[in-house]
Amino acid sequence: EVQLVESGGDLVQPGRSLRLSCTASGFTFADYTMSWVRQAPGKGLEWVGFIRSKGYGGTTEYAASVKDRFSISRDDSKNIAYLQMNSLKIEDTAVYYCVRDKPFLEYLYGLDVWGQGTTVTVSS
Amino acid sequence: EIVLTQSPGTLSLSPGERGTLSCRASQSVSSTYLAWYQQKPGQAPRLLIYGASRRATGIPDKFSGSGSGTDFTLTISRLEPEDFAMYYCQQYGISPPYTFGQGTKLEIK
């Protein structure tokens, strides 16, 4: 079964750091770009960023709202993607979803596999 | 950044009716990279349509997508109780940032 499982969500104080993990199974993780998407309580979806597969250089892109504070990495040997969140703000409070993105060498695709989400609450 | 505006914000329909949801982009979007998602309370979003008109795996043919340029539509024929949910459009692909529409709530009339 193709699956993504996020972990690491917690209650943290503003200004602190947190790292989320996304463990993949059931597919060749290394072949996919992996995205993170968040959803604040009662709000819509917001793309956070992605990390390309090694085939595309393993580079990253971020939303302006998190650039310079968040970073995404991956360990293809463990099938895990990470979201490192620094200098957390109250407005970063959200459910964070890990999402399977572009397959290597495919041009017609969708963000088709989503984890169940992990909750990050930033509060003093 | 491409802004996606969905309309209406809330759509009230009865089971058996046809639902038409709109997504308008602030600038032209490649049809290859326009998707629609369904989200139910407490659940992760589910991909319905990608490439503007292609149904994702396991999605019934009552869901259809169309459009190009700046105007895209999701149509749900023969609404069933399980179809009442939030729907989001998204543009993605080769030019980040990805953006989502603000969502349309499809509710039972």
Side-chain angles (χ1 to χ4, degrees):
Chain A
E1 181 190 4
V2 175
Q3 196 173 9
L4 297 171
V5 178
E6 302 94 337
S7 59
D10 205 350
L11 168 63
V12 294
Q13 293 179 325
R16 303 299 291 262
S17 298
L18 195 64
R19 189 179 79 163
L20 306 182
S21 299
C22 167
T23 302
S25 59
F27 65 98
T28 305
F29 177 76
D31 286 349
Y32 287 81
T33 292
M34 298 299 296
S35 271
W36 287 90
V37 173
R38 67 184 180 183
Q39 187 169 36
K43 303 297 184 182
L45 302 169
E46 179 188 17
W47 174 75
V48 172
F50 67 57
I51 184 164
R52 296 180 175 91
S53 61
K54 292 291 193 295
Y56 291 122
T59 52
T60 54
E61 303 283 350
Y62 300 97
S65 58
V66 305
K67 194 171 182 178
D68 300 328
R69 297 189 300 122
F70 288 13
S71 64
I72 300 172
S73 59
R74 64 191 299 156
D75 185 336
D76 289 346
S77 69
K78 296 181 179 178
N79 292 347
I80 300 177
Y82 300 99
L83 177 62
Q84 177 68 43
M85 303 183 293
N86 299 329
S87 303
L88 281 161
K89 303 177 181 180
I90 290 175
E91 52 265 38
D92 294 320
T93 295
V95 174
Y96 284 74
Y97 295 102
C98 174
V99 189
R100 189 172 80 169
D101 198 319
K102 177 179 172 60
F104 185 59
L105 296 181
E106 292 284 340
Y107 80 98
L108 190 58
Y109 64 96
L111 278 64
D112 62 343
V113 180
W114 293 61
Q116 84 288 350
T118 189
T119 301
V120 174
T121 304
V122 184
S123 175
S124 54
Chain B
E1 176 176 309
I2 297 175
V3 176
L4 300 179
T5 302
Q6 292 184 240
S7 61
T10 301
L11 183 58
S12 300
L13 294 170
S14 299
E17 291 191 296
R18 177 189 185 99
T20 303
L21 288 67
S22 174
C23 176
R24 177 162 290 179
S26 60
Q27 57 187 277
S28 185
V29 171
S30 168
S31 296
T32 302
Y33 302 119
L34 191 288
W36 289 91
Y37 300 87
Q38 178 193 68
Q39 187 179 33
K40 297 179 180 178
Q43 297 184 15
R46 177 174 71 143
L47 176 67
L48 298 175
I49 300 288
Y50 66 98
S53 62
R54 290 163 173 81
R55 277 185 297 277
T57 302
I59 302 303
D61 60 8
K62 65 178 177 180
F63 292 94
S64 63
S66 63
S68 64
T70 59
D71 290 294
F72 298 88
T73 300
L74 174 70
T75 301
I76 313 168
S77 62
R78 308 180 308 276
L79 284 165
E80 299 179 83
E82 61 267 25
D83 300 329
F84 292 91
M86 283 294 293
Y87 290 84
Y88 296 94
C89 60
Q90 182 205 22
Q91 64 87 24
Y92 60 104
I94 58 175
S95 300
Y98 299 171
T99 51
F100 291 89
Q102 83 283 11
T104 290
K105 181 179 182 180
L106 178 55
E107 65 175 25
I108 298 178
K109 187 174 182 179

